[in-house]
Structure formats: C-alpha cells, structure tokens
C-alpha cells in the first residue's frame, strides 16, 4: 500500500478484531443541553449594538436587471446600509467547484430566490420593510426548466455564457454493445429533496479593529467558507476569522455559502456587528437542495441471473449554479450500477444548469438517485427471471477483489452479500393477533382514522447500496488536528483543536474518545472549532471520523512520542520500550515508571498533524481511474410496508438495516446515524419533495414540505458489522450516508410488492398508488 | 403593535368595538404563523386568553334538543378529554389536529374564525348541525355554521364581532371523522369527511373539508341515505347496508365536492378519496349503530 502523503497515515491490519479503548458510547457533551432547549445555536447569537441584516431576493427564475433603486430604502428610518453588487469589495463570485455564483446579482438573475441586495437596520422588521422599498426593474426572461432538454437542445437560452452543461461524464467498461438473454429497462425520476435542517442559516459578523472581521456562524466547513468569503471581501484570509457557533443540522445544505459574505459586507460597511437569520421560507431559497434526476436504465442478464450489462443515461438538474453538480455527476456515474459486479457498463451522466433552484450537496450525494433506479431495476430483473430479488442481488454482489466500473479494484472488505443475508434474517414484525382491533395509529393514515384495515395490503422490499466515502477523483482530502497535553490542576488534560464541524453527527465525542484512548488520559477537552487551526474539510461525504479522526490520532501519537522521549531520557529507558496506560507511563522491562502528570510537570506538549487519506485520481474520458474513490461503504435495508391500496396511503411498519461500518468508534452514535439516515431515506420514499413549477418553489414551508414524524418512522432492527478497512484509521468506514440511500428503494420495493404498481418516481404519492 | 388584554368578555367586546381592525388571538397557532410568515401585520392584537368564560363548555338545551355550548377558546385537548363521548365526531377530528402542543393551545373558535377550507373542526360541526354564536356590543346572534363561511378564509363575522361559542346538538347516534394527509400525523388535510347518524330524528349529517372553497355538507348524500334507511326500515331493524347504498352514498359525497389541484393533492384524488372515506365511515358508523352502541368513539386511541 503506497502512502504518498504525510507521515500521519499508516496502513493497519484491522481486518478482523479491532482492539483499543475506542468503541465505547459515552454520552454527547451537548446532548442534555439540546434536549432541554438550552443549547445556543448560531441563530441565538447576540452582540451589543448589533444590527440586523436582510436579503432581497429575485422573484423571477430568469430575468435581466435593468436597474436597482436603493434610494427610498436607504432613506427609511432605522436603515444603516443598503448594498448591491456594486458594493462587493472583491470578487463577486463564489462556488465550491466552479466559481460561478455572484454574491449579489449583477445584470441577471438565474433563479427565483437569488440574492440581489442587502439591508442592515436596527430591527429585523425595519430591515424587512426596507427590502420592500428597493425598486428593481426586471426584464423577465423565459426560464430553462428541463435538464434533459437542456443537455440536448442547443436552441435553449444559455443559463451561463459557457453553455448549460456543468459536467458530462461517461463510464465505459467492457463491451458496451453486448447483448443478453433477458433485458429489462425503465425510466426513473427523483424529486427535489430538501435537507430540512431545523436550525436556519444564521451568522453574526463583528468588524475588527485590524480591518478584518470575525464571523460566528453555523457551517459545515470553516476554511472553505473563509476562502470564498475573503476573496469576495478582498481581504487576506487571515483577517477573516470564523468560529463555529451551534449548528442545527446540515446534511449538505451548509456546504455552500449563504449569508457569510452578505453579513460580513454589512458589518464592514456599517462598522457594527450585524446578524442575519433566515426564516424557514427564506431558508428554502437560501440553500441548495438535492438534485432531481431523470434516469434511463437498461439491465441485461443471463437466464441464470448473472448481470451481463448495465447501460444508463442520468440527467441531474443542477439548477442555476454549479455548486456540487460536478461531484454529483462523478458519484452518480461511478456508482451507477450499484454494489454489483458488472462486466459491461455504459453510463453517461449529465449535470445541467437550468433556472431551477440550485442543487448541491445532500447526504448520499449523487448516489441516492441512481440507487433508486438500479434497485428498482434489480427488482424488475428478478421478476423477469422469476428469481428471488435478494438472491439475484447476492448472486451479483460486488466483493473484495472485484473491479468497479471505473477499473478500481476493491482492496478492502466489501461484504455486500453478507449484508443482504443478514438483513433478511432480522426478525419480521409480528402479525397482529387474530381478531384484535388494530390501533389506528399502526395503520396507514395513522391518527387520521382513514382505515380500520380496509384496503390494507402488506409488502416487503429490499434495497442495498454503495457510497464512496471522503472526497474523490484526485481531490487532496485531508484534515488537521492540534493536540496539546498539559497539566491542569495537577492532572493531565488533552486539548483537541480542529476546524471540523460538529453538525450533530457526534464528532465532538469521537475526537475525545480517540484522544482518550491514544493518550490514556481521563480528561480531554475540545477547543471550539475555528480557523486558527488548519483546515479539516467539510463535514460531508461521511468523512470526518475517517480524516479528522485520523488527524487526531496522528497528533495524539506525535504528542505521545514526545512524552515518551522525555520519559526515556529521564529514566534512561529506550523509548521503544515505553507505553501509556491508565494515566501512567509503563516500561516493558520495569513496569510503571511514573504518572503522565509527573513527567509533564509544567511543560505542555503540543503537536499539529495533517491526515491525508490515500491518493485518488481523476476519471479519464472513458471514466477509468486506478482509484477514483478512497473507500466504499455499503448498507442493506428491508422494509415492511402497509399500503392502503384504495387511498394510496402508506405506513412503513418496520425498517431494518444491516451496515458495515468498519469500526464503530461510538456504537450508539453509529446506530443513531443509521436511524436518522433511514428516516431521511423514508422521507424521500414517501413524502419529501420540493415542488417546482416554472422555476418556482411551490411549498417553501414545513406546512407543505413534509418530513417524517414519529408516527411515520417505524422501529428499526439495526445490525452493525465491523469489517475493518485496513487503509483507514482504526479501520473505520463512513457511516452517515449509506442508510439514507438504501432505505428509499427498499421502501418503494415494499410498496410495489403490496400494490403491483410500477412506481418509477420518488417520493411515491397517493396518486401513484391508486393510479 | 398594540397588545390589548381584556380581563373579561364585555371588556373584550368593547375593545373590539373600539378597534375593529384588531386581530383577536386565542391559541395563536394560526395568528403567530401568519405573523412569522409576514402574511399579516396587525396594528393591534386582542388577546382572549384571560377570558375565563370563553374556556368553558356547558350542556344546555336549544329548541328542545340537548346541546353542548362550547366556549370559543376551548382547546382541542379538552374537546378530546372532556367531550370525547358526548361529541365523538368532533373529538375524533380534534385528535387529528396538529401535534400535542397544537392541540393544547389551538381552539375551536380560532379554527372557525380562520375559516380555512382545511379546518378540521368544521366538518364534524356541520355533520352535527352546529350553530355559531357571535357577539358584539350591539348584541348577540346565532347562525347555522353553514351560513357562517362565506368564502376561502372569509366569514360572515362583522368587524366588531367575536365568536362567543359554538352550539353542538348532542349526538344520538354514531359519528365518524376521517382525514386524508400524506403523512401519518401533523398534516394539513388533503380532504376530510365527517358523518353523523341521527337516529332520533332519523337524519344523516355530513361535512366535507378541503374539498371546496368553504366547508360544506353533502346534502344530496344525506337525503339519499336518510331516505334509503327509512324506506328499508333500517332505523328500527338495522341490517347490513347493501353495497349499492354505501356506494351511492360515496358517489353523492364525492359529487358534492368542488376540489382544486394544489401542492397537497389533485382534485381527482380528492374526489376519489372522499368517495372511499364516505363509504368507509358510513360502514363503521352503521356497524356501530347495528351493534347497538348509542355513541361512537369508544375511542380506539387515547
Ligand atoms: C403545526 C401546526 C399544525 C396545525 N395542524 C392543524 C390541523 O391539523 N388541523 C387544523 O384544522 N388546523 C391546524 N392548525 C391550525 C390551527 O392550529 C387551528 O386552526 C387552530 O384551531 C387555531 O386556533 P387558535 O386558538 O390557535 O387560533 P388563533 O391563531 O389564536 O386565531 C386564529 C384566527 O381566529 C381569530 N380568532 C380567534 N379566536 C377568536 C374569537 N373568539 N372570535 C373571533 N376571532 C377569533 C384570530 O383573530 C385569527 O384570525 C395547525 C397549526 C400549526 C401551527
């Protein structure tokens, strides 16, 4: 195994048993506060003398701006600043991959909701009212709203000067023209899902005396925010200091900038602290969503059920700006056949610009959409072959040593078949006792009393998926950790400092667990996340326990090395013979030498380390790459669903999951991730869709954008297995995303089993079921 | 924004007379949402939560019929707990409203004044022939609920009037309520249906929600069913209803609807679902009537 990066990375032989103190489930430090409502989120920030910012947004999906008159707004009492594109101090563009999105629209607006102007006022209501006084003269243009059309019809208007294609990627493996005994095809669509995090976008910017600005905010990636914000503000990045401040969920929706540059511009202009908090409706316009997709699939197999080929064309609607569209196309195409071994593959993926709401990162990025399609296809194929759908999947499951469609050999465990077998073995729900009156809350419709059993049919369905973990296709993916060990009140205390965003996933706990177990000290503190330490990258791609976990491990080991070196010198024992245990330094020869506290004395040992995972490489024009992705994760779901076939209402009765997590650093958090991810996948299966018509969101509220409640999310059997990845710290494998991916197709398969309907769109609505 | 907090009913009526554009606020579960969304910017809020008598209910008699008079500010949670057996249809509807928090705060008066086509309180009140009592410094008047709703979110209430109470004749037979939503709790109705059998007067009541600009009854369906039951002597000697009767009832209920397509569902689905709900709820109510239970709503869930 080559290690082309920093010395922090060591391959470990972790295939079987994984030892170490890591593996317990301590409670989250923020858990009680959150449950009691005492936790301060970024929306709770407050500063003396603070102003409130508000954002004027485009009412049109596509328009030319003829003029903007800020005069009346500026004259309105209580208003301290009104800013437009002209006031952007630096580069009026930002973006995660392609730098294509204006901080404030200049001559055109490309989506309904695009930011056009900003106001700072002494009261949020004053700011909002001032927005109404800004006069923008728009020349309304015909929007581009169909991604598939945009890919092939050159006569459509160009959303951006360079054309409407953000990324086109083909993947070809084997013979794309090969034929097969049995062929099934289908067209599948996925609606636009929202991350629906509960804490809206918010930040507080405080201008600093050195000409810089301190921004307290909720985000997924401090350094990437800082880089983009500094460029727009025309400031040295060192002068843009960011501190994480209570994140109320993220799920990808906080990867792109929202209010960051805006609130800093207002603070720097007025010389006063400025706070921006979106309300729920604005939040729907203020962040990216999951890409809607249209997918054409064709699967060919032998009569015995061996997959011969998969061919697909995938269209992803990226909306007005690129955001993560290039990655969605990369993930969607490379993972487009699913966790199966397929000799002949031809997949083409298009990520398109349109005038729809911008789409970007969301849990399961680019893997959710094709999973719905390829798993639907596997069920179709099983039916055509008259085979059991789980057997068909097991027969074709990818495993260690197999080659992915991009030519990458899986050099770590890939227990797909095992997961399918295991999830099938989990207990099924007990049938209700004969003659017993069902509790209506257990039936489709729940408390709404729509059935007492009439029309209700039960179905069972399966889904399994593959997701790449960490950044891919040649991105230098790393995280940084600074660990400081010193005595505080006579006891050794390890302080872990990273910029890795705690977005609710439990990273704070994981970092402490790693430090405790590496340094054998009781007390570990987490320094607030900020930009005074090196980058951690985003809390996305299920990557933080892997990369930041790796960085904390490496920094701890560097600290330990120094501590042991000091001890070796003091006690005249070779450092190689020393180890840490229970707060003490132990020599192999002579047993306990000293307490860590004793050796430390008044000294502090501080080390900073970067962790870079194994190098990945870009895809070539045929989609080949020696290693496009650093790791893959797998999960399998079984759904049991009751459907009221007359009314089209659904009750997911049970949702079970088997997942390989490599190593469960915190087993309870792992189960929490699987439950939460499954709930989000359930949402996509049966209710969550941003309805967009002619470029406009029709349901920007939690009244009409429905997410699952406790009566929708059933109990789960969660089966966690640990087949360590020898290339990853502790053998970990990303956990957060897979359950979001495989739950959706499992639920839809169960609804199909109950209704006999094709169901080619998610979310499945009553109309699809009653037809 | 002014915030008026009358301590008693006559003070509230005075306040409303002096500030006809004041927005009354009871549970606030509609008003606060509108303020949050900036859909409404009232100059004055008139807080009704201090008025004891609005939170009371009592049994009375109106035109010789035992009736429950429910103060406008009685929350759903109390309708469920205290009136579950007397007004089972209303309690069933109350159970489908929002979440426990909303049911603790939200009131029937607020539901009526909001006059949303999707208000869940309306259909069971229509099915029970409820009346609404409005009052102002000019005096009080009572009108049938059906006359109260004049359009989408519009009512017959004058600017100086407040809702004092709702008068609901006590049920004499089974009642049912069903609500379609695309999630299993906390959902605004795609459509709703309420049915009440009135054996004592040999009548049938219905109410449709989210099916037309205003909540309405399916009068033709009521008349058809009452006629069919009378004709076959079913009231005195109840037997299983022929499928042709439940089917026709469903058809007529669906026909009474004038639904639209919106983000929550299509007109076609609403019509279909009302048909199904009408059939099902009638069969549940009829089964209960046949099994001799006086009242429905020996509740399936707490
Ligand atoms: C999360 C959530 C879920 C909900 N779910 C449902 C649901 O499932 N079904 C449903 O039907 N509704 C639902 N609602 C809406 C709301 O809860 C109900 O309409 C409720 O009955 C309103 O009562 P309130 O006391 O809160 O009204 P308020 O908000 O206080 O007032 C509502 C309106 O009535 C007026 N008003 C109040 N009292 C009087 C009076 N005595 N005289 C004159 N005018 C008066 C107010 O001025 C206002 O216009 C929900 C709301 C929320 C926030």
């Amino acid at each position: 195994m080559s290690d082309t990066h920093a010395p922090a990375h060591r391959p470990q032989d972790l295939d079987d048993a994984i030892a170490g103190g890591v593996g317990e489930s301590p409670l989250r430090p923020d858990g009680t506060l959150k449950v009691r409502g005492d936790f301060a989120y970024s929306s709770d920030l407050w500063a003396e003398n603070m102003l409130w910012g508000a954002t004027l947004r485009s009412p049109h999906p596509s328009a030319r701006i003829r003029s903007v008159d800020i005069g009346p707004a500026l004259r309105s009492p209580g208003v301290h600043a009104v800013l437009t594109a002209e006031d952007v101090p630096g580069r009026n563009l930002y973006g995660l991959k392609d730098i294509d999105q204006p901080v404030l629209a200049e001559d055109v607006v490309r989506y309904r909701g695009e930011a056009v102007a900003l106001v700072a006022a002494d009261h949020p209501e004053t700011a909002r009212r001032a927005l109404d006084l800004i006069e923008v003269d728009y020349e309304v243009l015909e929007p581009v709203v169909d991604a598939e059309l945009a890919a092939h019809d050159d006569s459509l208007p160009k959303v951006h000067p360079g054309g409407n294609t953000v990324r086109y990627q083909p993947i070809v493996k084997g013979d794309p023209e090969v034929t097969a005994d049995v062929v099934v095809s289908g067209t599948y669509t996925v609606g636009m899902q929202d991350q629906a995090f509960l804490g809206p976008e918010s930040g507080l910017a405080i201008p600093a005396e050195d000409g810089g600005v301190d921004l307290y905010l909720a985000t997924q990636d401090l350094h990437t925010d800082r880089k983009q914000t500094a460029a727009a503000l025309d400031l040295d990045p060192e002068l843009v200091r960011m501190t994480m401040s209570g994140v109320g969920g993220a799920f990808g929706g906080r990867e792109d900038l929202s209010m960051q540059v805006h609130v800093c511009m207002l603070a720097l202009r007025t010389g006063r602290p400025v706070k921006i908090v979106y309300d729920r409706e604005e939040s729907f316009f203020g962040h990216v969503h999951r890409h809607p997709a249209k997918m054409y699939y064709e699967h060919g197999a032998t009569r015995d059920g061996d997959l011969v080929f998969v061919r697909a064309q995938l269209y992803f609607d990226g909306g007005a700006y690129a955001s993560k569209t290039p990655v969605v196309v990369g993930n969607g195409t490379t993972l487009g056949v699913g966790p199966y071994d397929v000799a002949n593959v031809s997949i083409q993926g298009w990520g398109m610009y349109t005038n729809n709401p911008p789409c970007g990162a969301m849990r399961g990025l680019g893997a959710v959409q094709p999973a719905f399609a390829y798993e639907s296809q596997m069920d179709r194929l099983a039916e055509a072959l008259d085979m059991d759908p789980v057997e068909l999947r097991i027969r074709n499951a990818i495993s260690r040593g197999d080659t992915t469609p991009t030519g990458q050999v899986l050099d770590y465990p890939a227990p797909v078949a095992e997961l399918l077998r295991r999830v099938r073995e989990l207990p099924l729900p007990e049938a209700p006792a004969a003659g017993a009156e069902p509790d209506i809350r257990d039936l489709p419709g729940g408390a709404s009393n729509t059935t007492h059993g009439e029309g209700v049919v039960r179905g069972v369905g399966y889904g399994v998926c593959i997701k790449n973990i960490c950044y891919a296709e040649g991105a230098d993916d790393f995280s940084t950790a600074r660990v400081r060990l010193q005595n505080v009140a006579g006891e050794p205390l390890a302080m872990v400092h990273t910029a890795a965003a705690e977005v609710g996933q439990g990273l704070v706990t994981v970092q402490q667990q790693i430090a405790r177990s590496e340094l054998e000290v009781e007390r570990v503190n987490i320094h607030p996340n900020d930009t005074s330490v090196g980058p951690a990258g985003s809390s996305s791609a299920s990557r933080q326990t892997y990369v930041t976990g790796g960085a904390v491990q490496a920094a701890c080991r560097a600290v330990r090395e120094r501590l042991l070196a000091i001890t070796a010198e003091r006690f005249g024992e070779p450092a190689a013979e020393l180890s840490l245990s229970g707060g003490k330094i132990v020599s192999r020869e002579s047993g306990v030498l000293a307490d860590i506290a004793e050796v430390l004395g008044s000294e502090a040992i501080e080390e900073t380390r970067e962790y870079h995972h194994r190098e990945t490489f870009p895809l070539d024009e045929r989609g080949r790459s020696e290693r496009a992705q650093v790791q893959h994760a797998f999960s399998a779901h079984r759904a049991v669903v009751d459907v009221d076939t007359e009314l089209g209402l659904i009750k997911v009765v049970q949702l079970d999951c088997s997942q390989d997590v490599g190593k469960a650093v915190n087993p309870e958090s792992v189960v929490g991730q699987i439950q939460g991810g499954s709930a989000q996948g359930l949402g996509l299966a049966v209710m969550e869709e941003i309805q967009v018509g002619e470029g406009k969101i029709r349901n920007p509220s939690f009244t009409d954008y429905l997410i699952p409640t406790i009566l929708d999310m059933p109990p789960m059997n969660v089966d966690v297995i640990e087949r360590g990845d020898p290339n990853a710290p502790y053998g970990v494998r990303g956990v957060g995303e897979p359950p979001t991916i495989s739950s959706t197709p499992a639920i839809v398969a169960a609804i199909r089993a109950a209704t006999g309907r094709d169901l080619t769109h998610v979310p499945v609505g009553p109309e699809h079921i009653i037809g | 924004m002014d915030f008026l907090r009358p301590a008693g009913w006559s003070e509230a009526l005075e306040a409303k007379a002096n500030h006809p554009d004041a927005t009354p606020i009871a549970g606030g579960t509609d008003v606060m949402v509108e303020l949050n969304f900036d859909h409404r910017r009232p100059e004055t809020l008139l807080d009704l939560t201090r008025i004891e008598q609005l939170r009371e209910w009592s049994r009375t008699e109106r035109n010789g019929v035992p009736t429950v008079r429910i103060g406008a500010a009685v929350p759903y949670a109390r309708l469920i707990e205290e009136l579950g057996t007397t007004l089972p249809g209303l309690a069933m509807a109350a159970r489908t409203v929002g979440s426990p928090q909303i049911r603790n705060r939200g009131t029937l008066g607020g539901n009526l004044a909001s006059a949303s086509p999707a208000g869940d309180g309306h259909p069971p009140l229509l099915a029970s022939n409820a009346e609404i009592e409005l009052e102002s410094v000019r005096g009080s008047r009572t009108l049938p609920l059906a006359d109260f709703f004049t359009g989408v979110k519009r009512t017959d209430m004058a600017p100086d009037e407040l809702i004092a109470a709702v008068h609901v004749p006590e049920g004499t037979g089974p009642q049912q309520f069903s609500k379609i939503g695309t999630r299993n709790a906390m959902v605004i109705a795609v459509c709703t249906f309420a049915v009440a059998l009135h054996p004592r007067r040999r009548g049938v009541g219905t109410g449709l929600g989210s099916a037309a600009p205003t909540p309405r009854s399916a009068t033709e369906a009521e008349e058809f069913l009452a006629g069919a039951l009378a004709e076959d002597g079913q009231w005195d000697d109840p037997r299983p209803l022929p499928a042709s009767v439940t089917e026709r009832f469903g058809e007529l209920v669906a026909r009474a609807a004038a639904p639209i397509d919106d983000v929550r569902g299509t007109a076609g689905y609403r019509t279909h679902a009302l048909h199904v709900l009408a059939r099902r709820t009638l069969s549940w109510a009829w089964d209960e009537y046949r099994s001799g239970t006086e009242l429905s709503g020996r509740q399936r869930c707490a």
Side-chain angles (χ1 to χ4, degrees), chain A residues 437 449 454 647 704 707, chain B residues 178 183 264 269 284 300:
Chain A
E437 282 246 335
N449 189 38
E454 298 92 335
L647 289 173
D704 285 313
I707 54 178
Chain B
S178 278
R183 100 178 143 189
R264 294 171 197 149
Y269 175 72
W284 302 333
R300 285 164 191 278

Side-chain angles (χ1 to χ4, degrees), chain A residues 27-79:
Chain A
L27 289 181
R28 307 175 55 109
D30 52 348
T32 309
L33 289 173
K34 283 179 173 169
V35 169
R36 291 164 52 144
D38 289 337
F39 186 81
Y41 290 96
S42 59
S43 49
D44 299 318
L45 291 163
W46 188 88
E48 198 73 47
N49 206 26
M50 166 179 100
L51 298 173
W52 295 81
T55 313
L56 181 70
R57 295 179 181 277
S58 164
H60 307 295
S62 178
R64 195 161 289 124
I65 298 178
R66 289 205 197 94
S67 65
V68 183
D69 182 3
I70 62 169
L74 207 48
R75 285 191 293 275
S76 136
V79 171

Side-chain angles (χ1 to χ4, degrees), chain A residues 61 98 100-101 109-112 114 143-148 150 158-160 163-167 192 287-293 315-326 328 350-360 692 695:
Chain A
D98 300 359
D100 64 350
Q101 181 159 4
V109 286
R110 298 188 175 87
Y111 72 97
R112 155 80 186 90
E114 180 156 0
V144 176
V145 294
D146 183 324
E148 184 182 4
K158 287 186 171 56
V159 177
H160 288 266
N164 289 336
T165 304
V166 181
R167 181 175 180 184
M192 186 184 287
H287 65 254
V288 297
H289 313 288
R290 187 187 300 291
H291 289 67
Y315 296 93
F316 295 100
D317 184 349
Y321 294 101
S323 180
K324 280 287 188 88
T325 298
V328 165
W350 287 264
M352 302 307 301
Y353 282 129
T354 65
N355 294 111
N356 288 323
C359 288
V692 180

Side-chain angles (χ1 to χ4, degrees), chain B residues 60-291:
Chain B
T60 57
E61 202 157 284
R62 273 181 79 77
N63 315 320
V65 178
T67 298
V68 184
R69 181 185 184 277
I70 305 172
V74 174
Y76 295 106
R78 286 184 50 213
L79 297 178
I80 296 166
E81 268 171 45
E82 298 166 25
L83 290 166
T85 44
T86 320
L87 304 174
L90 183 61
M92 288 171 120
R95 239 176 245 118
T96 74
V97 172
S99 57
Q101 295 90 330
I102 298 296
R103 294 193 288 273
N104 283 334
R105 282 211 68 91
T107 67
L108 197 54
N111 201 238
L112 290 165
S114 286
S116 157
D120 290 328
H122 314 152
L125 293 178
L126 286 171
S128 293
N129 301 90
E131 294 176 302
I132 187 164
E133 180 187 331
L134 303 173
E135 198 169 339
S136 70
V137 287
R138 295 176 287 123
S140 125
R141 63 184 176 123
T142 299
L143 66 162
L145 195 58
D147 298 342
F148 174 71
F149 301 114
T150 55
V152 176
K153 301 195 174 185
R154 286 210 321 271
T155 72
D156 190 49
M157 202 163 31
D160 64 346
E161 279 182 319
L162 291 172
I163 302 174
V166 186
H167 299 263
V168 196
E170 283 188 30
T172 60
Q175 305 182 351
Q176 282 290 341
F177 174 83
S178 278
K179 162 171 162 181
I180 301 273
T182 45
R183 100 178 143 189
N184 291 313
M186 262 269 282
V187 67
I188 295 197
V190 172
C191 60
T192 55
F193 181 68
V195 64
L197 300 181
H198 302 297
R200 236 164 263 173
R201 63 175 171 86
R202 314 245 139 161
V204 175
T206 59
L208 281 65
S210 278
T214 58
R216 56 166 73 162
S217 294
T219 319
E220 243 189 286
E222 292 174 359
E223 283 164 4
F224 159 76
L225 182 59
L229 294 175
E231 203 168 300
D232 298 344
Q234 288 270 32
W235 289 115
D236 298 320
D237 176 20
R239 282 148 287 133
L241 286 179
S244 60
V245 170
T246 50
E247 189 55 34
R248 180 75 185 145
F249 180 69
E251 259 172 51
L252 290 172
V253 165
R255 197 190 284 173
I260 54 166
D261 288 337
D262 65 15
V263 289
R264 294 171 197 149
T266 61
Y269 175 72
R270 289 186 157 102
T271 309
H272 165 83
L274 283 168
H275 186 148
V276 176
L277 291 185
R279 251 199 287 122
R280 287 186 185 174
T281 50
L282 171 58
S283 69
W284 302 333
W286 189 251
D287 281 353
E288 195 176 324
Y289 182 65
R290 285 183 61 226
S291 70

